Amino acid sequence: MARTGRRPGASGSRAAILAAARRAFAAHGYDGATIRGIAGQAGLDPAMVPHFFGSKQGLFVAAMEFPVDPAALLPGLLAPGVDGLGERLVRFFLSIMEAPGDRGAFLGLIRGAVTHEESAALLREFVTREVLGRVAAAVNESQPELRATLVGSQLVGLAMARYVIRIEPLAAADPETVVAAVAPTIQRYLAGSLT
């Protein structure tokens, strides 16, 4: 039976939760892993998970070493509405990718997803629900889920070409040039014709 409350002495609780979460997410996926199950594997009270991470999503972000938490940042990007959202999304994405620490973490996630099916499934499940689902909910046109996944495909493709494969001249292009070139396509996916 899991102990309740804080462990005595120096706390290794956060690390124990992260280790248990990584195992649980790998074994059961994002949807199948539970806070109660993760806490049980860590030998802790389930209340410790929200204490350290706020929510299951916050735990996943920490366990998978996401550079940003979509729940904290996407509402601000989506709040002004669909007009101009393409540009806001591209600027936000590039701001993450241009920051050396964030870029390394994000590229690690992409590389892991490309080479490891379990990592791909976890990333797909999380991004579909927490990122693309939020974008789709903001779209006022037909086929919002398709539109959101097209946005995601454009941004992941941009990350692969610019930061992983480093295709020139895209890799060396000024971020403003990239925003000007890519944002209209993203905006069309969000609010324009798909045919």
Side-chain angles (χ1 to χ4, degrees):
M1 176 174 273
R3 291 183 56 161
T4 59
R6 191 175 175 277
R7 290 180 175 173
S11 176
S13 299
R14 189 176 196 284
I17 292 168
L18 283 173
R22 289 183 182 113
R23 289 190 303 272
F25 288 131
H28 308 293
Y30 180 76
D31 288 332
T34 66
I35 287 177
R36 184 172 299 284
I38 291 166
Q41 287 295 314
L44 296 167
D45 185 292
M48 296 302 289
V49 175
H51 169 75
F52 284 109
F53 302 99
S55 66
K56 179 179 171 181
Q57 178 180 334
L59 174 59
F60 185 82
V61 167
M64 296 300 122
E65 298 177 356
F66 270 69
V68 296
D69 183 354
L73 300 172
L74 277 175
L77 292 172
L78 299 172
V82 175
D83 288 344
L85 181 55
E87 182 176 336
R88 291 192 304 275
L89 286 172
V90 176
R91 282 189 188 287
F92 170 69
F93 185 73
L94 289 177
S95 74
I96 293 169
M97 298 306 293
E98 296 294 320
D102 291 346
R103 177 181 12 188
F106 191 78
L107 292 179
L109 289 169
I110 292 175
R111 287 184 181 116
V114 168
T115 60
H116 188 250
E117 179 51 37
E118 288 176 1
S119 296
L122 281 173
L123 187 59
R124 180 173 49 247
E125 205 175 306
F126 180 77
V127 167
T128 298
R129 174 181 294 191
E130 302 300 335
V131 178
L132 301 180
R134 292 171 190 265
V135 172
V139 171
N140 299 321
E141 302 291 331
S142 64
Q143 300 178 289
E145 291 84 9
L146 175 60
R147 290 172 183 275
T149 56
L150 288 168
V151 169
S153 73
Q154 189 76 30
L155 294 176
V156 170
L158 175 61
M160 290 293 289
R162 182 171 167 90
Y163 301 103
V164 176
I165 303 169
R166 302 199 45 79
I167 298 172
E168 294 295 350
L170 176 60
D174 177 79
E176 288 302 314
T177 301
V178 177
V179 169
V182 176
T185 300
I186 299 286
Q187 191 64 38
R188 182 178 67 80
Y189 289 157
L190 293 167
S193 172
L194 295 181
T195 58

